[in-house]
Amino acid sequence: MRKIIIFFLIVINSYSQDKGEILYKLYFNINEDNEEGFKKEIYNKIKPFSGELKFSLSYNQNLAVFRNIDENKINKDDKLALIYGKYFEYYIDRISKKTYRFNEESFIFFDKKQYLVFKEISNNWQITNEQKIIDGRNCFKAILYETAFYKKNNPQVKIEAWVCPEIPISLGPLNYSGLPGLILELNFNNISYVIDTINFSKDISLNFSKLEESTLISEEDYYALKKKISNEKKEEYEKQTQKSLINNFE
């Protein structure tokens, strides 16, 4: 890990596919009848937000930013829906083929924006012959299996993307890209990000700049560190609890 100063500046104000803005909506594909207890309670809270949350993918030839367009208006239940939707604000370097995002604010043992988590854009997609029409455009199904470092035992998770070759922009929602075209639909973990609006010719003037000093860390190392700290805090709590019980009996 090392210290890095990151500066992102995106100015988008042209009328070509080299620069533009794409909007996606987030949907939750959970069968309520199959859930119970705490999971069902969570689903009931996030269900009203299915198809209501919008996200912007703004890009130029070198960089792209994926973010929630109503970030300043979200409440507690909105945040729960975003967490379930595996949302982060992502910064995509299209030249180095890496994506970046800051650590979760919800993990109380890290400072805000203490870590800048990076990930290499995968080229291990398997493009199939399966096709379907999305938003009037022909798309091909692509599959990617990746390690879910955020889960216990780091299982493999299946990512399904519907890519549109007629739109030659190798981008997509969240931090998924690397396909020969724009991802119009992304499915995994019972959630879907689906295209809503594509603005190639809209005159967009987006200035996004950040100057942050953070510790650069790979996604794998970041989640390993989180698990290590969580386990240490759990053991520390258990020891304190046992000590307290012993003292009460003395």
Side-chain angles (χ1 to χ4, degrees):
M1 297 183 292
R2 61 186 175 86
K3 289 289 184 179
I4 186 171
I5 294 179
I6 293 295
F7 177 73
F8 290 99
L9 174 60
I10 294 182
V11 179
I12 297 176
N13 56 7
S14 82
Y15 291 88
S16 74
Q17 290 189 9
D18 291 335
K19 302 177 182 180
E21 181 184 46
I22 300 155
L23 300 183
Y24 292 91
K25 285 186 177 182
L26 170 61
Y27 296 87
F28 302 111
N29 309 313
I30 305 172
N31 188 338
E32 190 174 358
D33 296 333
N34 294 336
E35 304 296 342
E36 58 184 17
F38 180 70
K39 285 187 176 181
K40 188 169 186 176
E41 182 179 343
I42 293 294
Y43 176 64
N44 287 334
K45 285 183 177 292
I46 67 175
K47 185 178 179 180
F49 299 99
S50 184
E52 296 299 319
L53 296 173
K54 281 191 176 184
F55 304 85
S56 167
L57 176 63
S58 301
Y59 68 93
N60 63 19
Q61 288 181 318
N62 300 323
L63 302 171
V65 177
F66 181 84
R67 64 183 178 85
N68 176 259
I69 61 176
D70 295 318
E71 189 171 3
N72 296 325
K73 303 177 183 178
I74 59 177
N75 58 34
K76 182 173 64 176
D77 289 337
D78 287 312
K79 288 184 178 179
L80 184 62
L82 291 175
I83 291 172
Y84 195 91
K86 299 293 182 290
Y87 166 75
F88 289 99
E89 184 171 289
Y90 284 103
Y91 314 104
I92 301 100
D93 187 330
R94 303 182 68 186
I95 304 301
S96 68
K97 298 187 183 304
K98 289 182 180 179
T99 67
Y100 301 88
R101 56 93 169 173
F102 292 105
N103 58 272
E104 304 95 318
E105 295 181 18
S106 58
F107 192 67
I108 61 174
F109 304 113
F110 291 158
D111 294 332
K112 183 178 180 181
K113 297 183 179 178
Q114 179 178 348
Y115 290 101
L116 186 67
V117 184
F118 75 88
K119 179 180 178 181
E120 303 280 349
I121 293 176
S122 178
N123 59 0
N124 294 323
W125 289 97
Q126 303 169 22
I127 302 177
T128 72
N129 292 323
E130 189 173 346
Q131 303 177 47
K132 76 172 180 178
I133 302 298
I134 301 176
D135 196 35
R137 297 176 171 89
N138 191 46
C139 298
F140 289 84
K141 183 178 179 179
I143 301 295
L144 172 68
Y145 291 93
E146 66 174 10
T147 304
F149 296 112
Y150 55 88
K151 290 189 174 185
K152 185 178 181 180
N153 300 322
N154 300 338
Q156 290 287 298
V157 173
K158 179 182 178 181
I159 311 297
E160 176 187 289
W162 289 91
V163 58
C164 181
E166 67 183 76
I167 305 176
I169 302 170
S170 185
L171 289 170
L174 299 177
N175 59 343
Y176 292 99
S177 59
L179 284 163
L182 181 66
I183 297 175
L184 299 194
E185 181 179 322
L186 183 76
N187 305 308
F188 70 102
N189 287 351
N190 296 320
I191 62 174
S192 296
Y193 284 88
V194 182
I195 198 76
D196 181 58
T197 307
I198 303 175
N199 295 317
F200 295 135
S201 59
K202 182 180 178 181
D203 185 13
I204 300 172
S205 179
L206 173 63
N207 293 285
F208 187 96
S209 62
K210 279 196 174 184
L211 181 61
E212 299 290 346
E213 186 172 345
S214 304
T215 300
L216 187 66
I217 185 172
S218 70
E219 184 180 63
E220 181 177 4
D221 289 343
Y222 171 73
Y223 282 110
L225 179 61
K226 276 190 67 177
K227 290 174 183 177
K228 180 177 180 291
I229 292 175
S230 296
N231 289 333
E232 289 175 349
K233 296 299 181 182
K234 181 181 178 182
E235 290 176 4
E236 182 181 323
Y237 174 77
E238 290 174 347
K239 287 179 181 179
Q240 290 178 348
T241 302
Q242 289 174 358
K243 185 177 180 180
S244 177
L245 289 173
I246 292 173
N247 292 335
N248 288 336
F249 282 103
E250 290 180 347

